[in-house]
Amino acid sequence: MKMTGAQAIVTSLEKEGVELIFGYPGGQVLPLYDALYDCKLRHVLTRHEQGAAHAADGYARATGKVGVCFATSGPGATNLITGIATAYMDSVPMVCITGQVPLSVIGKDSFQEADITGITAPITKHNYLVKNAKDLPRVIKEAFYIARTGRPGPVVIDVPKCLMTTTIDFEYPETVRLRGYKPQAEGKAAEVEAVAQALAEAKKPLFFVGGGVINAEAAPLLRRIVKTHRIPLIGSLMGLGAIPVTDPLFLGMVGMHGTVAANRAVMECDLLVGIGVRFDDRVTGLLTRFAANARVAHFDIDRAEVNKNVVADLAVVGDLRWSLAALESAMADLAGEGGRRWEDWRLQVTRWSEEAPLSYQKSDDVIKPQSVIEEIDRQTKSEAVIVTDVGQHQMWAAQYYRFQRPRSFITSGGLGTMGYGLPAAIGAQMGQPNKSVVLISGDGSFLMNCQELATAVEHRLPLKMAILNNNVLGMVRQWQKLFFNQRYSYTRFANGGTDYVRLAEAFGATGLRAERPEEMPEVIAKALATEGPVVMDIRVCADENVLPMVPAGAPLDQMINGEVK
């Protein structure tokens, strides 16, 4: 079938099952947008290309599908960069299609020309500069395969405008053949059996669960193993939801703002089994003291992660759906015990949880931010999809919302991108239209991409946005307070802050405000009951810190306000 390159792109996306594209048009993608005009694909016009990238990211995390975004050349493409890097750090499958100047003028500093493949090389799983229109179907087929297989990640396809208007004979490939890329779905059974043997010998085993479990859709397998063997476990920020946080065996998030029980368990376990985790610096603290008494086993699909940060005594490389199923089989001989061999250890870590739960000083005078998260949790029955920006509110959401299932917590973990929340929540809401999606943001983060309120209003999304408004850049201020002698350098908004109710109304959304503790529950209830997008301006205490806290570079047992009562 003959068609233009632009039509070939659209047809290829349809064949990949794409339903939704987030994007922003411009000169070099005009033929592509012209092809969109006649097709069934749904396109969401965001108000900034960065919003398009984050929305595609949020859609991918909420659904498990590949997120897709479009941008034009030059500034359009470079505006995607933060979104691409965010997705890369958190292993999110995305395909980003950018326009490029015609082949004949590449390298001549043409209008809106930027070397997007060069710029994105360190932050993509792969990228393409297409030079022949007949390659477009193959490249798109490969891009989706690369993005969703193995360790997921973003792929950029840069398409010169001249290729979009070139006529080709369209034929979509059935298979992908890439000489240098063969994801390892199954590993070695002997490696799994070695971990099972180590678990049988361990007196204090601990599972450490990361976002890889959610990406691999392996949470049901993990839950079965935990239920059978009753081994305590901890989670990374990205792993929240893999196991219900209300499960008595779950000790909470580990690391800089982890629970006392989780951090103590790492320091005292004798076998730490990392499952789909990166062992990043926010988790480990001082590396030489991390799990110093333990052997470390590491399950991951990406061989490059093994021994990158923490040296593993045992490693299993492969898809977690295979490796956890193999572990379950290898531990079959222990199943009849019901985890009795680890009873003393389990009682010990449970006692730690009871002795030092997450807590804060409640108040009748000011709204405590932790209480807002607890109230949202109560009113949504722990069933909402929670999306956050980055900062104190992100950590409080991780600590106080009781996540029950995978893909219910969407946040920028690795890159820590302020401004991520609102567009990502739009993508999540569009991917899960029947779910209650709540954005928890800070006043600093919200302003970075608040223009996407227009997108939420245009599509009448039932998105609820809670801004924990303390009129400061809270997390930076917290570090200044604790580590820079309270020299609060440029972290307070000196103009008195923004009126978020009027901002919401200016975009056509509903705006609500709570200034007193007694007003807050009613405002949340009214927001949840109101149709369409609602912004809640919740004036919270500015002096609150996220605790406990392990100072950067300190071992996990040196927690500020992490004393055991």
Side-chain angles (χ1 to χ4, degrees):
M1 179 187 300
K2 290 191 179 299
M3 61 178 68
T4 66
Q7 291 168 331
I9 293 171
V10 169
T11 305
S12 299
L13 295 178
E14 290 174 336
K15 288 188 173 295
E16 287 297 325
V18 173
E19 300 167 339
L20 200 55
I21 299 164
F22 301 90
Y24 202 102
Q28 303 302 341
V29 287
L30 278 173
L32 180 56
Y33 274 78
D34 188 64
L36 275 179
Y37 193 77
D38 297 319
C39 81
K40 295 179 180 177
L41 292 175
R42 184 183 177 195
H43 178 277
V44 176
L45 175 63
T46 57
R47 277 21 178 203
H48 191 289
E49 290 90 349
Q50 184 180 349
H54 291 323
D57 175 309
Y59 173 86
R61 297 194 205 214
T63 63
K65 301 175 183 177
V66 177
V68 179
C69 62
F70 288 175
T72 190
S73 64
T78 57
N79 281 341
L80 296 178
I81 298 300
T82 301
I84 295 171
T86 301
Y88 181 74
M89 288 290 282
D90 290 342
S91 305
V92 178
M94 280 173 46
V95 170
C96 312
I97 298 178
T98 53
Q100 183 56 276
V101 299
L103 287 169
S104 60
V105 294
I106 287 180
K108 298 184 177 181
D109 293 336
S110 305
F111 177 68
Q112 292 194 332
E113 181 187 1
D115 176 12
I116 198 65
T117 51
I119 292 170
T120 60
I123 55 169
T124 51
K125 190 172 176 184
H126 194 59
N127 64 24
Y128 295 88
L129 170 59
V130 186
K131 296 181 179 177
N132 192 320
K134 71 179 183 181
D135 293 335
L136 284 167
R138 173 185 60 78
V139 165
I140 292 173
K141 180 77 176 179
E142 290 176 359
F144 275 82
Y145 178 73
I146 292 169
R148 66 163 67 103
T149 58
R151 180 179 181 172
V155 177
V156 167
I157 306 173
D158 199 27
V159 185
K161 185 177 182 180
C162 57
L163 303 190
M164 298 182 193
T165 54
T166 302
T167 300
I168 64 170
D169 288 318
F170 180 83
E171 183 177 355
Y172 203 64
E174 295 292 327
T175 58
V176 172
R177 294 178 182 175
L178 292 168
R179 188 170 55 181
Y181 178 71
K182 299 192 184 303
Q184 184 177 348
E186 296 189 6
K188 298 175 181 175
E191 295 176 342
V192 179
E193 289 164 4
V195 176
Q197 182 60 38
L199 282 164
E201 295 168 357
K203 297 186 184 312
K204 300 177 180 178
L206 183 67
F207 284 163
F208 173 25
V209 181
V213 173
I214 296 171
N215 282 345
E217 307 288 358
L221 268 170
L222 176 67
R223 293 180 183 209
R224 215 159 57 210
I225 293 171
V226 170
K227 184 179 180 181
T228 300
H229 299 284
R230 305 191 68 212
I231 295 175
L233 69 167
I234 58 177
S236 69
L237 180 72
M238 304 308 297
L240 294 177
I243 292 281
V245 301
T246 49
D247 189 312
L249 292 169
F250 185 69
L251 306 179
M253 186 171 68
V254 67
M256 180 171 283
H257 294 295
T259 64
V260 171
N263 286 353
R264 285 191 71 179
V266 169
M267 301 301 284
E268 299 205 22
C269 67
D270 64 1
L271 177 64
L272 181 66
V273 182
I275 307 171
V277 295
R278 294 192 293 119
F279 293 106
D280 72 277
D281 57 303
R282 287 294 174 107
V283 160
T284 64
L286 182 62
L287 261 179
T288 54
R289 295 275 299 278
F290 179 76
N293 300 315
R295 301 177 73 195
V296 174
H298 193 175
F299 287 72
D300 207 284
I301 196 167
D302 187 354
R303 185 176 294 278
E305 285 298 330
V306 177
N307 298 328
K308 187 172 81 176
N309 295 322
V310 171
V311 176
D313 301 285
L314 302 164
V316 179
V317 177
D319 190 311
L320 291 178
R321 283 170 297 184
W322 169 82
S323 54
L324 288 182
L327 180 65
E328 184 181 34
S329 297
M331 295 179 70
D333 290 345
L334 302 177
E337 297 182 3
R340 286 188 293 276
R341 68 173 56 203
W342 302 302
E343 184 68 17
D344 290 346
W345 169 237
R346 199 160 46 243
L347 289 173
Q348 185 176 35
V349 297
T350 301
R351 189 163 58 248
W352 290 339
S353 285
E354 293 170 349
E355 290 172 344
L358 291 168
S359 64
Y360 62 96
Q361 191 72 40
K362 293 182 169 51
S363 172
D364 293 328
D365 299 322
V366 292
I367 301 176
K368 290 297 186 82
Q370 301 95 327
S371 70
V372 180
I373 309 298
E374 289 179 325
E375 187 61 25
I376 292 172
D377 178 68
R378 187 185 72 79
Q379 293 200 26
T380 59
K381 299 180 173 59
S382 309
E383 294 176 350
V385 175
I386 298 296
V387 185
T388 76
D389 267 296
V390 169
Q392 287 182 311
H393 67 274
Q394 177 192 33
M395 294 297 109
W396 284 317
Q399 291 177 330
Y400 288 95
Y401 196 87
R402 297 182 297 176
F403 301 99
Q404 299 296 308
R405 56 185 172 76
R407 304 194 184 282
S408 60
F409 184 42
I410 294 174
T411 193
S412 171
L415 197 65
T417 306
M418 292 176 67
Y420 168 83
L422 175 52
I426 289 171
Q429 185 71 82
M430 289 187 162
Q432 297 283 356
N434 297 319
K435 296 282 187 186
S436 173
V437 177
V438 178
L439 167 67
I440 297 172
S441 186
D443 46 330
S445 284
F446 192 80
L447 283 179
M448 285 196 173
N449 269 317
C450 65
Q451 78 283 345
E452 299 305 337
L453 270 173
T455 310
V457 170
E458 178 183 337
H459 294 274
R460 298 301 302 162
L461 298 179
L463 181 61
K464 311 310 173 197
M465 296 156 270
I467 302 173
L468 305 189
N469 183 1
N470 55 11
N471 204 28
V472 297
L473 299 173
M475 188 60 88
V476 183
R477 185 183 186 279
Q478 176 170 332
W479 282 59
Q480 290 173 335
K481 179 178 183 179
L482 296 175
F483 311 118
F484 289 87
N485 299 319
Q486 301 183 48
R487 290 161 56 84
Y488 300 121
S489 180
Y490 300 104
T491 43
R492 174 168 291 278
F493 296 120
N495 64 348
T498 300
D499 186 334
Y500 291 97
V501 171
R502 294 178 67 186
L503 179 74
E505 291 170 349
F507 279 103
T510 300
L512 303 171
R513 177 174 295 125
E515 297 180 288
R516 297 280 309 158
E518 62 271 20
E519 297 171 347
M520 183 264 290
E522 186 179 343
V523 163
I524 293 173
K526 187 173 181 181
L528 293 174
T530 301
E531 291 187 4
V534 180
V535 174
M536 293 170 273
D537 179 9
I538 302 176
R539 303 293 176 89
V540 299
C541 171
D543 295 326
E544 201 72 7
N545 291 325
V546 181
L547 298 173
M549 179 179 187
V550 178
L556 294 185
D557 56 358
Q558 290 185 14
M559 289 171 277
I560 300 172
N561 276 26
E563 299 84 1
V564 176
K565 296 176 181 174

